[in-house]
Amino acid sequence: MERRTIGAATLDVGAVGLGCMPMSWAYTGSRQRGDESLRTVHRALEMGSSLLDTADMYGPFTNELLVGRALKERRSQAFVSTKVGLLVGEQHIVANGRPGYVKRACDASLRRLQTEVIDLYQLHRADPEVPVEETWGAMADLVSAGKVRALGLCAVGARTPRRPGARLHDGTIRQLERVQQVFPVSAVEAELSVWSPHALDALLPWCAARGVGFLAAMPLGNGYLTGTLTPGEGFEPDDLRARHPRFTAEMMAANQPIVAGLRRIAARHGDQVTPAQVALAWVLAQGPHVVPIPGAKRERWVTENAAAAALRLTPEDLAEAARLPGARRSWD
């Protein structure tokens, strides 16, 4: 697989990574099977998808434990990205950016992951009660201690309140400019896909201008852009899409033209090319510093996703993709 570098630390990874969250959290629980997920991680590494993206909150904790089982056997082949800063309660999620907590959480992640060093340690969300510079300083101390190789920041969520007229990622860029004064940012993780291209406006250019890597989260639109979801089929109650404004039956039907467009582009490249591969190839085409991290929990999906790294979209393809409508949500 093509290799790409992330950030000033020139961290080397496969062009398509693996989002491990669906194996343990947020998606249909009845379809989460540890042994099958473990085989999926091994398959991803075999295909060259070396970047494994996890977080301590996924599960919570169980996703890191799962990844750690794979790392015990194949640490040298993997690039490990995990996150800190969010705590999961019974019915809520809260931020914790206190320096002492960050350092304890890192030690706990290292134990679960069965590794001596985390390649990329990301701040999941800034704590509104703690200056982000203090949290980032504690994370920088972990680099100095040899427990972490590089630091990253996850973008502020789309539902976070923002100033009138502000662009989606203005708040994230302000955070980035603050922490950059403390210790270099190697990567930013944010949603980027054909149906949600907002990062192209300001965040992606900010990263490109500073040599910062960009991890494209949800590049397959939480599974929608694969074309394998049926509008109206519904989701199990524990699946985040059951409450997502893009995944009501009405909106899934309304967004079908996006999938139809991906199918048209795929057809120009042969019968074996899928809408998902076109969606990933579009993300890869946005810059050499961009690495999509599609979530998957089946071997067949990581195999299909990895093959997208070899798909080269033509200018005609990219122009057609640019004309596709954005995702519609239930409040639109």
Side-chain angles (χ1 to χ4, degrees), residues 4 29 43 54 104 182 191 200 309:
R4 295 194 167 191
R43 181 59 175 163
T54 182
R104 292 192 302 273
V182 178
E191 181 176 8
L200 301 181

Side-chain angles (χ1 to χ4, degrees), residues 131-280:
V132 70
E133 292 86 352
E134 292 184 17
T135 304
W136 200 256
M139 295 172 69
D141 290 343
L142 295 169
V143 179
S144 299
K147 297 179 179 182
V148 171
R149 293 181 63 199
L151 302 183
L153 183 80
C154 293
V156 175
R159 300 187 189 186
T160 302
R162 30 186 212 275
R163 302 168 184 171
R167 294 171 299 185
L168 175 61
H169 292 299
D170 285 354
T172 296
I173 290 174
R174 287 194 297 271
Q175 285 186 357
L176 286 165
E177 290 174 342
R178 290 171 62 183
V179 301
Q180 192 82 313
Q181 303 303 311
V182 178
F183 190 87
V185 178
S186 286
V188 174
E189 183 172 327
E191 181 176 8
L192 177 62
S193 67
V194 168
W195 80 344
S196 188
H198 311 292
L200 301 181
D201 295 338
L203 187 57
L204 199 63
W206 189 96
C207 293
R210 292 160 180 80
V212 173
F214 187 93
L215 306 188
M218 296 172 278
L220 298 179
N222 300 106
Y224 188 83
L225 301 178
T226 66
T228 61
L229 300 179
T230 303
E233 185 176 16
F235 301 95
E236 294 185 11
D238 62 339
D239 193 311
L240 64 82
R241 293 169 295 186
R243 301 173 299 281
H244 198 296
R246 293 178 185 169
F247 286 90
T248 63
E250 180 184 5
M251 290 300 102
M252 287 182 70
N255 285 317
Q256 282 296 301
I258 305 172
V259 175
L262 295 175
R263 290 191 192 280
R264 285 194 302 272
I265 296 171
R268 293 201 286 267
H269 292 269
D271 294 340
Q272 302 303 311
V273 176
T274 67
Q277 290 172 330
V278 172
L280 291 174

Side-chain angles (χ1 to χ4, degrees), residues 97-143:
R98 294 190 295 273
Y101 167 75
V102 167
K103 294 179 179 181
R104 292 192 302 273
C106 179
D107 287 339
S109 288
L110 287 167
R111 288 193 297 271
R112 288 188 290 268
L113 291 166
Q114 301 191 57
T115 186
E116 295 181 355
V117 63
I118 294 165
D119 296 306
L120 179 67
Y121 203 39
Q122 298 196 76
L123 180 59
H124 219 153
R125 290 291 183 274
D127 186 339
E129 304 298 325
V130 179
V132 70
E133 292 86 352
E134 292 184 17
T135 304
W136 200 256
M139 295 172 69
D141 290 343
L142 295 169
V143 179

Side-chain angles (χ1 to χ4, degrees), residues 289-307:
H289 61 305
V290 179
V291 177
I293 45 173
K297 54 182 181 287
R298 301 284 185 273
E299 291 179 81
R300 63 173 292 195
W301 301 130
V302 297
T303 301
E304 179 179 318
N305 293 343

